[in-house]
Amino acid sequence: MTLSIRNQIPGTVTAVTPGEVMATVKVRLTGGQDITAAITLESVEDLGLASGTAVRALVKSTEVSLATAPVEGLSIRNQLPGTVTDVATGGAMASVKVAVDGGELTSAITKDAVTDLALSAGTPVVALIKSTEISLATA
């Protein structure tokens, strides 16, 4: 299946914590970073997710925010350090490619944010992704 979701990073499930309706799934990405996805318990069961399951973490580019340093005091669980590799700007929006260990992320942010953060190739950044915005697919 081909998807329009640009961000597809491989990893392995390290833990599943079920709740009544939702579950949190911890995933170790190929680059060694840990992320958390919050998905329905039904999805966990349908995908057969358990520790050791190979998965792909899927994130729409519009759900990847960027910061120029790690952010404390924030509910966003996933903060992946990386380096900007490319910035393409349009009239209002920009597409920013970020190299992270084991892969690449694309972030769709405003052109003003690119200017305010002084983003260009080589800029160190932290990609911020809410756990509820990460989908999982079995590999």
Side-chain angles (χ1 to χ4, degrees), residues 15-73:
V16 176
T17 305
E20 193 170 305
V21 176
M22 299 288 289
T24 57
V25 180
K26 299 227 184 259
V27 176
R28 169 92 19 99
L29 300 177
T30 301
Q33 314 92 317
D34 292 316
I35 62 166
T36 300
I39 62 174
T40 64
L41 189 56
E42 183 178 357
S43 292
V44 168
E45 294 166 357
D46 288 348
L47 294 170
L49 299 181
S51 188
T53 304
V55 294
R56 282 195 163 294
L58 310 172
V59 185
K60 290 175 61 176
S61 60
T62 53
E63 301 302 334
V64 178
S65 298
L66 298 176
T68 55
V71 183
E72 293 186 28

Side-chain angles (χ1 to χ4, degrees), residues 78-117:
N78 303 300
Q79 297 193 29
L80 301 174
T83 304
V84 173
T85 59
D86 185 56
V87 178
T89 57
M93 297 296 292
S95 176
V96 181
K97 293 190 183 296
V98 178
V100 296
D101 286 344
E104 181 179 73
L105 291 172
T106 299
S107 175
I109 60 176
T110 65
K111 180 180 170 184
D112 290 344
V114 169
T115 301
D116 291 348
L117 297 174

